[in-house]
Amino acid sequence: MIVDAHVHLLPERVRKDRSRYCANDPSFGSVYSSEKARLVSEDEILEYLDKSGIDKAVVFGFPWENPDLAQQNNDEVWAFYQRHPSRIIPFAVLPCGKREAAKKEAARTLEGGFFGLGELAMYHQGWSLADFEALSPSLRLAQSKKVPVVIHVNEPVGHHYPGKIPVDFRGLLRIIGAHPEVDFILAHFGGGLFFYALMPEVARILERTYLDTAASPYLYDSRVFEVALTIVGPEKILFGSDYPLLPMPRYVKELDTAGIDGRVREGILGKNVLRLLPRVTC
Ligand SMILES: [Zn+2]
């Protein structure tokens, strides 16, 4: 069973009129103002899954600053799931900069049956300690529903690209430590935070934290797999493509180069994320 843990669906009206949404939502504009940043339809996602031999995908929208847009995008992801319940695993985005609105949307979507929260991000200003702490009410809801939470985290160094933001690692660790019963999935190899799991006190905090591979061929050489496997273990790494940013074959190539096969590869490509999603039937 192959599962892509990181796929984005943006509404049709956004795809057709992206400049208006870029102007109205600074977070969206910071990632999608370039026409090179692709936006895809439901059909294109299904075609991608079929072509790549992917059985299921975790699908989410964009973490709009505007609560109405977050809600609409979530509703569209839900409708996609309803049309293709055996292929799509719906997660809900939240307007993370607005604590009360985020909590309300987390409650609405999780009561409605969403399988997780994410990808949560603060693309406009970056993640501060206060932003992470403001997620707390939503994280408590995720905890009560026993669903995972995907957080966008990127590396603090290296080249710049749209969507790369400052991330307060101390704030992130604090919020993870404060919710020990939540399964966190840190996107993009957690921006390298996992390195600090070599410190025993950080390892304890990251006990239920997973890393997805989204965008890694753009960021790291394939040794990132070997290093992450050594530090966090084979069951903590989840294949996520960030489609339409990159399709699956780019990741398969990295796994081949890194010499990852057998059970470890099976885990990364699907089994690991399925353990976090007991409601998903195979
Ligand atoms: Zn991301």
Side-chain angles (χ1 to χ4, degrees):
M1 167 85 53
I2 297 184
V3 183
D4 188 331
H6 192 135
V7 170
H8 290 280
L9 173 72
L10 277 292
E12 190 181 3
R13 63 182 181 287
V14 175
R15 299 197 304 274
K16 288 200 164 139
D17 194 5
R18 89 156 69 191
S19 55
R20 185 161 76 88
Y21 289 90
C22 283
N24 288 346
D25 192 290
S27 282
F28 184 73
S30 73
V31 181
Y32 286 104
S33 52
S34 162
E35 291 288 331
K36 278 193 210 154
R38 282 179 69 204
L39 302 165
V40 288
S41 66
E42 292 184 13
D43 286 346
E44 284 167 292
I45 290 174
L46 291 171
E47 200 188 311
Y48 157 67
L49 300 183
D50 290 341
K51 220 168 91 185
S52 314
I54 298 169
D55 299 286
K56 296 172 189 288
V58 171
V59 174
F60 31 69
F62 178 83
W64 301 94
E65 290 182 43
N66 178 331
D68 292 336
L69 290 173
Q71 183 175 333
Q72 286 166 27
N73 206 162
N74 287 333
D75 288 347
E76 284 165 78
V77 167
W78 185 258
F80 188 24
Y81 160 64
Q82 296 220 294
R83 281 191 282 277
H84 303 279
S86 65
R87 309 296 300 280
I88 303 306
I89 304 166
F91 275 36
V93 292
L94 304 176
C96 299
K98 300 184 172 73
R99 184 188 173 104
E100 279 312 303
K103 180 186 168 191
K104 220 172 119 191
E105 185 60 3
R108 186 185 79 90
T109 50
L110 294 180
E111 288 303 327
F114 276 74
F115 288 65
L117 297 178
E119 183 187 16
L120 307 183
M122 290 287 287
Y123 285 116
H124 186 38
Q125 307 103 317
W127 283 118
S128 68
L129 172 63
D131 297 326
F132 281 125
E133 286 184 334
L135 284 183
S136 215
S138 304
L139 296 175
R140 279 197 294 274
L141 289 167
Q143 184 165 320
S144 71
K145 291 284 179 190
K146 298 186 165 43
V147 297
V149 178
V150 183
I151 299 182
H152 169 93
V153 185
N154 54 240
E155 52 302 328
V157 296
H159 64 283
H160 185 73
Y161 48 83
K164 182 159 176 166
I165 52 174
V167 180
D168 184 322
F169 276 9
R170 284 192 308 165
L172 179 57
L173 278 177
R174 191 183 293 184
I175 201 78
I176 292 173
H179 300 85
E181 287 167 41
V182 174
D183 292 319
F184 287 92
I185 301 170
L186 305 184
H188 319 295
F189 276 105
L193 178 71
F194 70 87
F195 170 78
Y196 298 100
L198 291 168
M199 301 170 81
E201 68 273 34
V202 175
R204 274 194 293 278
I205 294 172
L206 296 180
E207 215 165 297
R208 290 184 68 156
T209 294
Y210 297 74
L211 307 169
D212 88 21
T213 64
S216 62
Y218 280 154
L219 305 170
Y220 298 102
D221 84 37
S222 56
R223 287 175 298 170
V224 69
F225 283 93
E226 190 189 321
V227 175
L229 284 166
T230 302
I231 297 177
V232 301
E235 72 288 350
K236 297 278 188 66
I237 301 171
L238 318 177
F239 159 59
S241 66
D242 217 348
Y243 185 80
L245 182 75
L246 272 178
M248 184 176 172
R250 285 291 297 274
Y251 298 87
V252 169
K253 203 174 137 207
E254 298 293 305
L255 288 171
D256 289 343
T257 308
I260 291 164
D261 50 23
R263 289 163 75 137
V264 173
R265 188 177 177 117
E266 270 177 31
I268 293 172
L269 289 179
K271 282 196 174 158
N272 293 345
V273 73
L274 287 174
R275 274 198 291 276
L276 307 181
L277 300 164
R279 280 163 51 213
V280 173
T281 48
C282 293

